[in-house]
Amino acid sequence: MVLSFKSWVANEGGKHFVLILWLGANTWLFLRTFLTYSTGQQYYYLYKMLGLGLCISRASASVLNLNCSLVLLPMCRSLLTCLRGTHTLSSRGTRRLLDKSKTFHVACGIAICIFSVVHVSAHLVNVVNFSAFFSEDLPALNLARYLGEDPRMIILTTVPGITGVLLVVILFLMFTASSYCIRLSNYEIFWYTHNLFIVFYIILMVHMVGGALKYQTNVDTHPPGCLRPNQSSPELQGEELEPGNEERRCKEEARFHPHYPQTWMWVSGPLCLYCAERFYRYIRSSDPVTIVTVIRHPSEVIEVRMLKRDFKAHPGQYIVLNCPGVSSFENHPFTLTTCPTEEKETFGVHMRVVGDWTERFTELLLPKTGVELEILPMVQQRRYPKLYVDGPFGSSSQEVFNYEVSLCVAGGIGVTPFACVLHALLDGWKQFRLRRLYFVWVCRELQSFYWFSELLCALHHKLWQENRPDYLNLKLFVSQTEDLQSMSEEKYRPLSSRLSIGRPRWKLLFDEISNANRQKHVGVFCCGPKGISRTLHKLCNSGRYTGVTFEFNKESFS
Amino acid sequence: MGKIEWAMWANEQALAAGLILLTGGIVGVAGLFRGWEFAAYSIAAGVFVCLLEYPRGKKNKGTSVERTGQYCFTVCVKAFGPLTRNYYVRAFIHAAIAVPAGFMLATVLGCVCLGIASLIYLGAAIRGEQWEPILPRTETRKAVGESIKQPPQNPPPRPPAEMRRKRAEDLEGAAYDNPIKVTANEE
């Protein structure tokens, strides 16, 4: 598929620009610190003792400072949700960058790991050099206590050494628990090890206490390389001293001072911001919600409607549920399918029952089917478990209303963000910029469409009544082609007439959209399996559709 | 809630520790630092640990994600039977390998990381986990067109043509019973 420059820039340009800025900042910082230590006058003696190891270790330390401060910022989710909503980021391109916040966090994390390896290796070489080149002339500069001291003893008896070992161990635990496989299968290991970050940062801030590396304070009175009073210059051996050489005599001995710890200046701001955010989220979610209704849908989906004081959300956002009756520490994200409005204050989620948390949660909410219940004479009040809700958090699906034409592709239960969008359109569609919505929903079984069949039909009827039949273009697909299926109810006629058996043909769909919407930016939103989203992303980047730019937005959880 | 599989985490740690041992060993030998024999040992140890830990085990429930190209390693590791299946043995092996690497500065970190991995393997072994190889499922080829039933083996149960010809004079005798019902499918 031919990549068109214009499409590629529209889709990928922003991310790559930020990447280049970040790489540039890291490179500049590394080189600047490297040159300071290798050519700076105040480090002359230290550089003579330690060599390149000094420069590499200090340069990588400054890069680590930068990345340790940047890595926390993308994880301030409430702050990012706020930024997305307000008009501070008025450009759609900048808002799309917020979708990639998790990727940026991972990039900074990988940079921290790589530069930690460089930093540790360089410092190990430094420790060996401190021990081997113990200087009698400049005793203040030494880290070792005597010539040839075992480097391992140096590490274990100084504050930077011990804190360094602890930092490496914590980083090792965090890094090995962050692989995709572990996050998929044992999310708790990932979550608990990642929360060790607070210990990591505290130890990082005391890492420089003790001052292993010192700089010279009196460069003007003792220019480095000057001759001591009882020393003669090696090249003038045997020749007479010229008068000009007096300038090369030292006026006083070199004096050294350890560095002031700098890491806290880099790190404390983002750390305070992140801790404030976690605290705010904890306070906000401490109010339990009232469960209003629980409805069981076909294909193992249940809908939970809830009520919470002062809860406001926009279509496309998601919440995180915590049910202490199921598990005290597990938090699970679910996209909102109904947002609270002025008329109706309840909000709801649809959740698919797959996995032990959802199964146990369903058991607590609904009685087991198939169990014969006695008909009791009095109405038994359902005792729902306590539920805490954290959120709402922003996601890319909020942008559906900001394009003139949008294509929403949903796979199975991935329809939930778009269901919220459709609910919002049902309440009123005129105030949005959106003028045409293509809605493609692919499911394995026909029964899944009953989750939102009423909503789709209601919206369809409303738009036809208001003389906008072209606003909503619905295409439903059933991907399992084994049995002949159709929706037989009369009220679901609009759906059954738009139902196709088999997988959708994306190229034809894109051709149709580009023919009907020339010279427009079409927002493509995908929430579904990776295969579909990869295909759509490639199609958006290809340059087949002249005059139409498809901008790809992917919904990604956590 | 839910069973956590610690062995998977220990596997990631051991693989990373093997790589750290390898790197530290190479640095130690390249610089010919004091104690470089330990560095040479840790190169070999690192390679061994990486080979042992590269194939991922099968998860108890859910789909297991393989590492790329791990099939040949799976076969080799599986060949050792209970030695590699049991996590107590692995914990002990890793602890034993880690100790000599602690004597040299360049490989000390590898020793610490492998020690942590060995502890987690011990925890996994106590909880009764085992290493199961991920083998490709032998796919049963789906018969083409399952809706097409087995083609009939025998011709329809009609008597030969002479008997079928309706004899006007003997209508009663011409009637025959089909041994197999030919009424409409009731399923």
Side-chain angles (χ1 to χ4, degrees):
Chain A
M1 217 166 290
V2 175
L3 276 185
S4 151
F5 185 66
K6 186 166 162 241
S7 303
W8 188 88
V9 166
N11 274 307
E12 317 284 327
K15 300 191 290 218
H16 285 79
F17 177 65
V18 170
L19 180 70
I20 291 180
L21 268 183
W22 175 73
L23 283 176
N26 279 312
T27 315
W28 176 79
L29 205 55
F30 189 91
L31 287 176
R32 192 186 79 149
T33 322
F34 190 93
L35 288 173
T36 313
Y37 278 85
S38 60
T39 56
Q41 289 290 300
Q42 67 271 38
Y43 299 114
Y44 177 83
Y45 292 112
L46 196 58
Y47 183 65
K48 258 194 4 173
M49 190 191 272
L50 297 177
L52 261 188
L54 169 72
C55 308
I56 293 182
S57 65
R58 295 304 304 153
S60 53
S62 58
V63 169
L64 280 173
N65 277 336
L66 174 68
N67 283 304
C68 284
S69 66
L70 286 180
V71 80
L72 286 172
L73 296 176
M75 290 293 118
C76 299
R77 285 206 209 118
S78 307
L79 184 65
L80 293 182
T81 307
C82 241
L83 278 179
R84 215 189 260 273
T86 60
H87 294 294
T88 22
L89 295 183
S90 52
S91 150
R92 191 169 59 210
T94 6
R95 279 200 299 268
R96 280 184 76 215
L97 288 175
L98 292 179
D99 296 343
K100 287 288 160 193
S101 49
K102 192 181 94 160
T103 317
F104 184 65
H105 174 86
V106 169
C108 287
I110 293 182
I112 290 178
C113 287
I114 295 177
F115 281 101
S116 297
V117 170
V118 171
H119 180 80
V120 167
S121 320
H123 266 317
L124 285 180
V125 170
N126 284 344
V127 164
V128 168
N129 283 334
F130 263 129
S131 156
F133 297 121
F134 181 85
S135 164
E136 304 284 344
D137 299 328
L138 304 163
L141 203 54
N142 290 312
L143 186 63
R145 276 176 287 257
Y146 51 88
L147 183 68
E149 183 181 9
D150 189 359
R152 283 169 294 171
M153 289 310 296
I154 302 180
I155 293 178
L156 290 175
T157 51
T158 51
V159 170
I162 302 179
T163 49
V165 169
L166 285 175
L167 285 172
V168 166
V169 167
I170 296 180
L171 193 64
F172 176 71
L173 290 176
M174 282 170 71
F175 178 67
T176 49
S178 317
S179 73
Y180 174 68
C181 202
I182 304 242
R183 270 182 288 139
L184 197 62
S185 49
N186 300 309
Y187 193 79
E188 299 92 356
I189 299 181
F190 164 71
W191 180 244
Y192 296 138
T193 42
H194 244 63
N195 276 312
L196 288 174
F197 78 95
I198 189 74
V199 180
F200 182 86
Y201 275 98
I202 292 175
I203 300 183
L204 187 66
M205 289 200 272
V206 300
H207 181 55
M208 280 270 282
V209 166
L213 299 175
K214 304 186 179 72
Y215 64 97
Q216 186 183 345
T217 44
N218 55 349
V219 179
D220 40 354
T221 47
H222 177 112
C226 64
L227 300 168
R228 298 242 172 64
N230 54 354
Q231 204 181 21
S232 65
S233 164
E235 57 261 21
L236 296 178
Q237 206 91 40
E239 291 177 20
E240 286 187 11
L241 276 176
E242 300 187 3
N245 275 340
E246 264 113 46
E247 285 150 21
R248 292 190 61 203
R249 294 274 167 198
C250 309
K251 297 193 187 62
E252 57 181 26
E253 285 293 312
R255 280 203 292 269
F256 297 98
H257 196 275
H259 276 109
Y260 192 58
Q262 263 192 344
T263 310
W264 69 273
M265 290 194 295
W266 288 91
V267 154
S268 51
L271 190 62
C272 288
L273 192 64
Y274 184 73
C275 291
E277 139 110 24
R278 285 286 287 264
F279 187 63
Y280 167 69
R281 273 165 51 183
Y282 174 73
I283 299 285
R284 190 170 62 167
S285 66
S286 58
D287 202 14
V289 298
T290 332
I291 299 183
V292 174
T293 18
V294 178
I295 307 165
R296 193 192 284 273
H297 287 282
S299 298
E300 313 255 324
V301 161
I302 63 166
E303 179 184 352
V304 182
R305 291 270 176 115
M306 303 167 267
L307 198 62
K308 185 173 169 179
R309 222 176 25 174
D310 295 331
F311 184 82
K312 294 194 181 21
H314 297 290
Q317 291 183 328
Y318 67 96
I319 54 174
V320 174
L321 294 183
N322 174 289
C323 182
V326 175
S327 161
S328 338
F329 297 114
E330 281 189 29
N331 296 307
H332 290 260
F334 294 100
T335 315
L336 287 169
T337 44
T338 28
C339 291
T341 55
E342 283 113 26
E343 292 95 43
K344 208 161 71 132
E345 277 187 23
T346 56
F347 58 97
V349 294
H350 278 64
M351 62 173 79
R352 210 170 116 218
V353 182
V354 53
D356 33 20
W357 191 89
T358 33
E359 273 171 15
R360 184 87 187 91
F361 190 52
T362 317
E363 269 170 44
L364 285 180
L365 291 174
L366 292 171
K368 274 196 161 50
T369 51
V371 172
E372 292 300 324
L373 293 172
E374 270 186 36
I375 300 174
L376 299 167
M378 58 180 183
V379 176
Q380 246 192 350
Q381 175 154 48
R382 162 99 39 234
R383 297 282 298 274
Y384 288 128
K386 242 186 177 166
L387 188 64
Y388 295 99
V389 155
D390 189 9
F393 300 112
S395 80
S396 58
S397 310
Q398 286 177 259
E399 290 294 309
V400 174
F401 299 114
N402 294 332
Y403 285 92
E404 261 190 68
V405 181
S406 286
L407 165 65
C408 294
V409 176
I413 193 64
V415 73
T416 37
F418 309 127
C420 205
V421 166
L422 295 176
H423 265 119
L425 287 176
L426 196 59
D427 286 333
W429 54 268
K430 294 198 175 85
Q431 69 266 30
F432 300 121
R433 193 173 160 193
L434 184 66
R435 287 283 158 260
R436 189 171 282 174
L437 177 63
Y438 290 85
F439 187 72
V440 175
W441 189 6
V442 187
C443 281
R444 279 218 189 101
E445 308 168 322
L446 189 75
Q447 297 291 316
S448 315
F449 292 122
Y450 286 103
W451 304 336
F452 294 110
S453 46
E454 319 238 322
L455 169 66
L456 288 169
C457 290
L459 185 61
H460 174 89
H461 282 307
K462 175 183 155 101
L463 288 167
W464 275 70
Q465 297 276 319
E466 300 189 7
N467 201 20
R468 285 298 300 266
D470 62 328
Y471 195 98
L472 178 67
N473 296 283
L474 204 51
K475 293 183 205 312
L476 306 177
F477 292 88
V478 181
S479 57
Q480 260 185 5
T481 55
E482 265 148 30
D483 312 307
L484 269 180
Q485 308 165 65
S486 67
M487 298 171 90
S488 46
E489 293 92 338
E490 181 57 38
K491 56 180 171 165
Y492 298 140
R493 216 36 195 312
L495 302 185
S496 58
S497 56
R498 289 165 171 79
L499 178 68
S500 316
I501 314 282
R503 296 223 169 105
R505 311 218 333 253
W506 302 112
K507 283 205 185 110
L508 294 180
L509 177 68
F510 272 60
D511 282 339
E512 179 193 325
I513 297 179
S514 63
N515 282 334
N517 300 286
R518 300 260 173 185
Q519 307 299 329
K520 293 249 164 57
H521 280 264
V522 178
V524 178
F525 297 87
C526 177
C527 185
K530 280 208 173 79
I532 297 185
S533 102
R534 256 186 234 135
T535 318
L536 291 177
H537 199 168
K538 270 204 280 223
L539 274 176
C540 290
N541 279 345
S542 77
R544 299 160 49 106
Y545 311 102
T546 44
V548 179
T549 319
F550 287 95
E551 285 185 20
F552 184 69
N553 300 281
K554 190 172 80 127
E555 174 89 28
S556 78
F557 273 125
S558 83
Chain B
M1 89 156 296
K3 287 194 51 105
I4 298 181
E5 294 190 35
W6 295 95
M8 191 178 281
W9 187 27
N11 170 274
E12 300 273 334
Q13 288 191 334
L15 190 63
L19 289 171
I20 297 177
L21 268 180
L22 187 63
T23 321
I26 292 178
V27 163
V29 167
L32 278 178
F33 292 115
R34 192 173 65 191
W36 67 271
E37 298 88 5
F38 288 110
Y41 157 81
S42 74
I43 292 181
V47 170
F48 171 72
V49 165
C50 284
L51 289 175
L52 175 63
E53 296 292 338
Y54 189 72
R56 240 186 223 134
K58 198 152 100 153
K59 271 183 8 180
N60 277 335
K61 47 176 193 155
T63 45
S64 320
V65 180
E66 278 194 342
R67 292 202 174 99
T68 38
Q70 82 167 37
Y71 180 62
C72 32
F73 296 100
T74 311
V75 167
C76 297
V77 173
K78 182 170 167 259
F80 284 94
L83 273 183
T84 44
R85 202 169 45 227
N86 192 321
Y87 283 139
Y88 281 111
V89 174
R90 273 205 205 192
F92 178 71
I93 289 180
H94 286 321
I97 289 180
V99 166
F103 290 110
M104 205 229 165
L105 184 65
T107 52
V108 113
L109 273 176
C111 161
V112 170
C113 297
L114 197 57
I116 297 177
S118 147
L119 279 175
I120 308 224
Y121 262 130
L122 189 64
I126 291 174
R127 289 170 56 103
E129 296 176 26
Q130 276 204 329
W131 186 81
E132 300 282 336
I134 304 180
L135 294 166
R137 284 175 302 142
T138 44
E139 298 263 345
T140 47
R141 293 254 321 275
K142 245 176 78 137
V144 169
E146 263 190 357
S147 57
I148 303 174
K149 302 275 187 279
Q150 276 275 341
Q153 307 289 9
N154 297 309
R158 292 192 294 259
E162 317 74 68
M163 282 200 61
R164 267 183 286 130
R165 218 176 303 127
K166 281 241 187 330
R167 282 170 294 196
E169 64 272 14
D170 187 12
L171 275 172
E172 287 283 330
Y176 58 87
D177 274 320
N178 270 326
I180 300 176
K181 272 181 109 62
V182 290
T183 48
N185 239 344
E186 243 120 14
E187 34 303 331

